[in-house]
Amino acid sequence: MNRPATRMQSLEDIAACVAGYDPNALPVAQAQDFIARLVPRVQAVEQLAIRSALGRVLARDIVSPIDVPAHDNSAMDGYALRSAELLPGTDTLIGLAGTAFAGAQFSGGVPAGQGVRIMTGAVMPAGLDTVVPQEFIRTDDDGRIRIPAGTVAAGDNRRLRGEDLARGEAALQAGRILTPADLGLLASLGQAEVPVLRRLRVAFFSTGDELRSIGEPLDEGCVYDSNRYTIWGMLQRLGVEVLDLGVVHDEPAALREAFTQAAANADAVITSGGVSVGEADHTKQVMKQLGEVLFWKIAMRPGRPMAIGRIGIRPDAEGRIGEPGHQAMLFGLPGNPVAVMVTFYAFVRDALLAMSGATPQPLPLLRAVSTEAMRKKPGRTEYQRGIVSQASDGRWQVRITGAQGSGILRSMSEANGMVVLHHGQGHVAAGELVDVIPFNGLV
Ligand code: AMP
Ligand code: MG
């Protein structure tokens, strides 16, 4: 497996570049800035058939080798003519020299006073520059066609050679996540294959002695592990390869084994649980032993504690898979199910996209009228789960989904968006506009 380029900067170097860096009260924007500076980008390129490349990251700019379309052609079914022969203020009559079909061009000459019946997509016969759509003409008894004055202007209904893509023009830029339209565009260039970056590999596991996996009995005081399923789902949406390492109990040897295996086999490792301040467990200790890891308290709600860094496969690690010197990014998310999702969207999503080589695109924000007042302390970013709908006046409005506790996953499931109350923002009055991240296409 091809690995990301070697990283030069230490975490301290990166922290020094982030204005307002304070690991114990880190604003969301600073944490995002830090992570953007930390993450490496995959390098390995693979060549894929265009149908296999949907959702993949384009590795190189695609320059058009041809003009698309290759010829001037008709945009309508109708009659091609010389615009210079159109009479101002009165009907124009033209004779017909023949017919041009799409894929079967008219190659004869067109004498003065004549035009050519033409189909959509047919090459414009030499000398003709304008197309009158079929529905605007009448045919006279002598077979000539009559074009009422003012029906068309010079150049109407003609598509120009190269108007979609000119030869030598950049058709698609590296870093794009290929869309259905892009696949069509590549096909229009006659390109069978496309260079994409290899998919990112992401390993994840849950930590906590109270966690049980589906199929196990739910012992007293235990909960089913839900985070692995939300994380799996969010990763699927990003199109990365996933490696699910299950639930890991609070035991140093098991945690070391899980982290080592995850780091050896993936570009990024996501854990949930075990990173909060009061944690009595071993997760943080093991993270520290295996890598360079920072423990943050982020000025946000939900999702305050988080670990970030990289863990490595040391050259001396005996018998391990993975390359010596390889390091995987570590995202140690909080345990609470809502906090997991919020921190994933706030930090991990963009980081994984950047690691995948995708050019970052900010999440679209919707401005919606809050139907209710919301209490909010300035100095932290809050993510409230909301239901967005269209009011009778056509404006977007949002209401909050019941209890907002960070363990209440139902609030997330019922929501169709997240209200973002920004760092500096205070209380919100009913009727005020707020920013919402719609889940459509995201969750
Ligand atoms: P922690 O961050 O480990 O202190 O966990 C915070 C809360 O989240 C606790 O109530 C945990 O039981 C819960 N939790 C942690 N991991 C999971 C998980 N994978 N699935 C469901 N709940 C979890
Ligand atoms: Mg725990």
Side-chain angles (χ1 to χ4, degrees):
M1 191 192 293
N2 218 327
R3 294 296 185 188
T6 324
R7 292 161 284 275
M8 310 300 286
Q9 284 189 305
S10 70
L11 298 191
E12 289 71 34
D13 293 339
I14 295 170
C17 298
V18 175
Y21 180 77
D22 171 2
N24 291 314
L26 193 60
V28 167
Q30 271 72 359
Q32 288 167 334
D33 183 6
F34 187 106
I35 294 169
R37 291 166 191 271
L38 174 70
V39 296
R41 174 183 185 274
V42 294
Q43 301 291 328
V45 175
E46 55 197 45
Q47 218 34 48
L48 291 184
I50 52 179
R51 278 192 184 144
S52 304
L54 184 64
R56 300 290 297 269
V57 179
L58 187 62
R60 288 193 270 275
D61 290 352
I62 301 291
V63 174
S64 179
I66 54 170
D67 285 323
V68 180
H71 307 274
D72 291 0
N73 68 83
S74 177
M76 304 286 279
D77 290 337
Y79 295 86
L81 48 79
R82 293 181 180 84
S83 59
E85 293 181 349
L86 287 168
L87 302 176
T90 177
D91 292 359
T92 302
L93 284 162
I94 58 167
L96 284 182
T99 305
F101 294 97
Q105 78 190 74
F106 174 84
S107 49
V110 185
Q114 294 202 355
V116 167
R117 178 155 158 69
I118 195 163
M119 307 304 159
T120 305
V123 175
M124 292 292 287
L128 309 189
D129 61 2
T130 299
V131 174
V132 193
Q134 176 85 45
E135 53 272 32
F136 294 144
I137 61 101
R138 285 200 313 272
T139 308
D140 277 11
D141 292 342
D142 63 2
R144 290 193 299 169
I145 63 157
R146 177 179 292 274
I147 303 149
T151 309
V152 280
D156 277 2
N157 307 309
R158 173 191 49 166
R159 304 168 178 152
L160 292 175
R161 168 183 180 153
E163 74 172 19
D164 190 349
L165 286 168
R167 179 185 182 147
E169 193 183 328
L172 294 171
Q173 295 200 320
R176 275 188 77 80
I177 296 178
L178 293 169
T179 64
D182 297 339
L183 301 193
L185 198 72
L186 289 161
S188 76
L189 303 179
Q191 193 151 331
E193 292 191 335
V194 57
V196 298
L197 292 168
R198 78 157 169 82
R199 288 214 286 172
L200 202 68
R201 300 199 73 194
V202 181
F204 59 98
F205 56 89
S206 299
T207 70
D209 278 345
E210 77 282 26
L211 302 180
R212 293 292 176 270
S213 291
I214 298 171
E216 291 176 354
L218 201 55
D219 302 323
E220 186 68 26
C222 291
V223 291
Y224 281 121
D225 170 16
S226 59
N227 290 343
R228 256 164 64 227
Y229 292 84
T230 38
I231 290 173
W232 180 89
M234 293 186 291
L235 290 174
Q236 290 298 316
R237 290 283 163 96
L238 288 183
V240 299
E241 268 178 43
V242 297
L243 182 62
D244 180 352
L245 295 177
V247 171
V248 179
H249 287 282
D250 188 23
E251 190 192 295
L255 285 164
R256 254 196 303 276
E257 168 63 26
F259 276 115
T260 310
Q261 206 198 330
N265 289 292
D267 302 294
V269 179
I270 300 175
T271 62
S272 68
V275 291
S276 47
V277 191
E279 281 292 332
D281 64 23
H282 297 98
T283 308
K284 294 210 282 189
Q285 288 307 323
V286 173
M287 284 180 181
K288 270 192 255 180
Q289 281 166 14
L290 293 178
E292 203 191 354
V293 180
L294 300 173
F295 296 93
W296 284 344
K297 287 185 205 117
I298 301 180
M300 70 188 290
R301 207 167 93 148
R304 213 158 92 90
M306 190 172 148
I308 190 86
R310 45 201 173 201
I311 44 179
I313 302 304
R314 303 262 158 72
D316 59 352
E318 338 88 38
R320 298 281 180 210
I321 27 178
E323 292 160 23
H326 164 68
Q327 291 188 312
M329 286 297 120
L330 170 69
F331 302 94
L333 306 185
N336 275 310
V338 178
V340 163
M341 295 194 76
V342 170
T343 48
F344 186 96
Y345 287 126
F347 307 111
V348 184
R349 179 180 181 277
D350 275 5
L352 296 182
L353 287 172
M355 292 179 75
S356 301
T359 308
Q361 304 286 336
L363 287 177
L365 286 177
L366 203 69
R367 296 281 284 164
V369 176
S370 178
T371 59
E372 59 205 289
M374 286 183 249
R375 299 185 61 74
K376 159 74 169 60
K377 264 209 322 232
R380 69 182 184 204
T381 307
E382 290 190 15
Y383 299 86
Q384 308 244 0
R385 279 70 71 203
I387 297 175
V388 179
S389 60
Q390 220 166 1
S392 50
D393 62 2
R395 290 202 296 172
W396 293 109
Q397 60 183 16
V398 61
R399 70 184 166 83
I400 299 307
T401 58
Q404 296 286 299
S406 68
I408 302 176
L409 197 50
R410 189 160 62 94
S411 71
M412 203 70 178
S413 173
E414 280 175 5
N416 63 3
M418 242 174 348
V419 177
V420 186
L421 301 175
H422 298 283
H423 190 83
Q425 207 169 341
H427 299 316
V428 173
E432 223 176 283
L433 282 171
V434 289
D435 278 336
V436 183
I437 299 172
F439 284 159
N440 197 350
L442 181 68
V443 168

